[in-house]
Amino acid sequence: NFQNMLTLFNLLTATLLGGKNPCAYLKFNLDHSFVKIWYDATSSILNNDILSEILLSLLAEVQNIPFCLYLKNASFLDETWEMGEYRDYEFVPCDVLGVHLHYVNTHLIVTDIDPESVAAEDGKVCIGDVMDELYTESLRGSKRGKVRELFQIYKGMPVYVSFVKGRLPNGQIYRPIAHLLRQIDFDFGRVGTSQEMQPDALKSIRKPAHALLPEEEQDEIPVHGPDGKAEYTVVYRGVYPLGEDGRVDRIHDSIESVITNREHKKQVVKIHTTETGVEVRRLSDNELLLNHSYTEVSACGRRTDMLLYFAYIAGETTCNMAKDFKCYVFESEDQGEAKIILCSIAQGFERTHWFL
């Protein structure tokens, strides 16, 4: 019953975590006044001489069992109890490890490995693996600067790094990693390989889901216009608050809400997609109105029935921590130009990958 389960829990907790003698712990509780309050006199093990002696003999054996808690490989315990394949590697001192990392939901996924690099030796590191630790420091949720800093601090020393493997020993893709790969629309066929993607193969990979427009599933999308520029004059229609919901689905209703609200004042602006983010400046005086890094942008897109209008969603900080998302709506004079701007923003997500 519950009382007996509570007794066992207390005893095992004391044994495993406190290192106490369970027999002494049991005798202590028998003399303690709270035992009479919490344990029934007729059904509790503690109040039955025969059962308590049996329990004491069992616990005496428990003391001889070595308990070793493995504190690593815990990065995905919030998603599943299934344990992934965990590997600790030691590489020779080097200036560049040779792995390309993509940051997805606080995890660093290996998306490419440079041939002839240290990481490519013996095929230890594979595409789809998650870099979990560097020099015993956990990398989950770490900022880009921390990875660089660790690599520089231990420069000239062997590189100690730990990975959660993308594939299990049976060949199946580890489910939590599969979920992360779906978010960037990664080719599952490459998981578990150690070859760098060739240019021809890059062309065959679909863009991330947030970069796809409904009418261009198979289109090859340019980042810049024909003249090579990444700055465009558009009309800023307004902003729509979304709260904690930064999903791409919200773009549809946000655009309609903004353009039907006559209180929103139109402004002619220049939207500039840089290597690190999106800048929006008023055309008349060049005042900076919006400035969002790609790590703050959660989605971008447009409605298929209003192709001149496009929008992007951004939070007050990085997407995985943001609590206040807003949808920023713009209007272009040309559908093709709107498409190019959207794809320039979307491909900015791809430029946020890390190289180590």
Side-chain angles (χ1 to χ4, degrees):
N1 58 22
F2 173 76
Q3 293 176 341
N4 290 336
M5 290 177 63
L6 182 61
T7 302
L8 289 172
F9 176 78
N10 289 336
L11 292 169
L12 290 175
T13 300
T15 304
L16 297 178
L17 301 181
K20 297 179 180 179
N21 186 312
C23 300
Y25 182 85
L26 180 58
K27 292 177 181 177
F28 172 80
N29 281 282
L30 281 172
D31 296 334
H32 209 278
S33 60
F34 79 86
V35 174
K36 297 180 180 179
I37 300 175
W38 290 102
Y39 298 99
D40 183 75
T42 58
S43 61
S44 173
I45 293 176
L46 293 180
N47 289 293
N48 186 298
D49 293 338
I50 297 176
L51 292 178
S52 61
E53 286 298 327
I54 295 175
L55 178 61
L56 283 171
S57 63
L58 291 174
L59 291 177
E61 295 298 323
V62 172
Q63 294 182 92
N64 300 321
I65 301 176
F67 290 93
C68 181
L69 299 178
Y70 190 63
L71 300 181
K72 290 188 175 184
N73 202 11
S75 293
F76 292 103
L77 286 180
D78 288 340
E79 291 87 27
T80 179
W81 286 107
E82 181 184 14
M83 302 300 289
E85 194 76 6
Y86 201 87
R87 289 288 180 267
D88 297 315
Y89 297 130
E90 176 183 347
F91 295 105
V92 297
C94 57
D95 293 328
V96 177
L97 194 59
V99 293
H100 296 257
L101 304 168
H102 197 113
Y103 190 83
V104 185
N105 285 3
T106 74
H107 298 285
L108 293 174
I109 300 181
V110 178
T111 55
D112 269 316
I113 303 172
D114 288 347
E116 309 301 326
S117 66
V118 173
E121 292 179 0
D122 302 323
K124 293 179 179 178
V125 181
C126 297
I127 294 172
D129 292 352
V130 169
M131 184 181 285
D132 191 59
E133 286 190 0
L134 181 63
Y135 295 107
T136 71
E137 292 276 348
S138 174
L139 298 180
R140 184 181 180 187
S142 63
K143 297 181 179 179
R144 184 172 188 166
K146 180 179 179 180
V147 178
R148 297 285 187 186
E149 181 183 355
L150 287 172
F151 207 70
Q152 290 301 317
I153 289 176
Y154 296 97
K155 188 174 182 179
M157 299 179 61
V159 180
Y160 298 97
V161 60
S162 302
F163 290 91
V164 180
K165 304 298 289 181
R167 289 189 182 272
L168 298 170
N170 62 7
Q172 297 294 317
I173 297 178
Y174 185 40
R175 284 184 294 177
I177 292 180
H179 176 70
L180 296 176
L181 294 174
R182 288 191 188 97
Q183 295 185 47
I184 57 174
D185 204 26
F186 198 78
D187 180 9
F188 279 19
R190 300 184 62 220
V191 178
T193 65
S194 56
Q195 293 82 21
E196 181 183 33
M197 182 178 285
Q198 299 302 316
D200 291 341
L202 278 169
K203 296 179 181 179
S204 65
I205 297 298
R206 296 175 58 206
K207 300 186 300 301
H210 55 256
L212 289 173
L213 303 180
E215 73 276 19
E216 59 193 21
E217 285 284 339
Q218 301 301 327
D219 275 358
E220 183 67 28
I221 310 302
V223 176
H224 305 293
D227 56 357
K229 71 176 182 178
E231 185 178 79
Y232 299 90
T233 301
V234 296
V235 177
Y236 177 42
R237 295 299 302 263
V239 59
Y240 188 75
L242 300 175
E244 297 186 6
D245 189 359
R247 294 174 299 127
V248 68
D249 300 353
R250 297 303 308 276
I251 288 178
H252 188 276
D253 58 284
S254 297
I255 291 177
E256 183 176 11
S257 297
V258 168
I259 65 177
T260 56
N261 189 342
R262 296 184 178 181
E263 295 182 0
H264 286 142
K265 184 180 179 181
K266 300 180 183 179
Q267 300 184 71
V268 180
V269 299
K270 278 191 174 293
I271 184 168
H272 183 209
T273 55
T274 69
E275 285 297 312
T276 58
V278 182
E279 291 183 359
V280 177
R281 293 181 179 273
R282 187 185 293 119
L283 184 63
S284 59
D285 56 8
N286 203 39
E287 180 183 349
L288 182 64
L289 301 179
L290 302 172
N291 184 18
H292 295 106
S293 68
Y294 290 125
T295 58
E296 297 171 333
V297 178
S298 63
C300 64
R302 60 179 174 177
R303 293 173 55 129
T304 56
D305 57 343
M306 300 178 181
L307 294 178
L308 293 178
Y309 298 93
F310 64 94
Y312 72 84
I313 298 174
E316 80 282 6
T317 183
T318 53
C319 294
N320 60 309
M321 299 176 61
K323 300 296 183 182
D324 183 22
F325 288 97
K326 295 178 181 178
C327 184
Y328 302 89
V329 181
F330 302 86
E331 180 182 358
S332 176
E333 294 182 350
D334 179 72
Q335 296 181 12
E337 183 179 76
K339 176 180 177 179
I340 292 173
I341 297 171
L342 273 179
C343 293
S344 181
I345 296 173
Q347 292 186 15
F349 290 98
E350 290 297 289
R351 292 196 293 270
T352 58
H353 78 279
W354 304 3
F355 178 74
L356 181 61

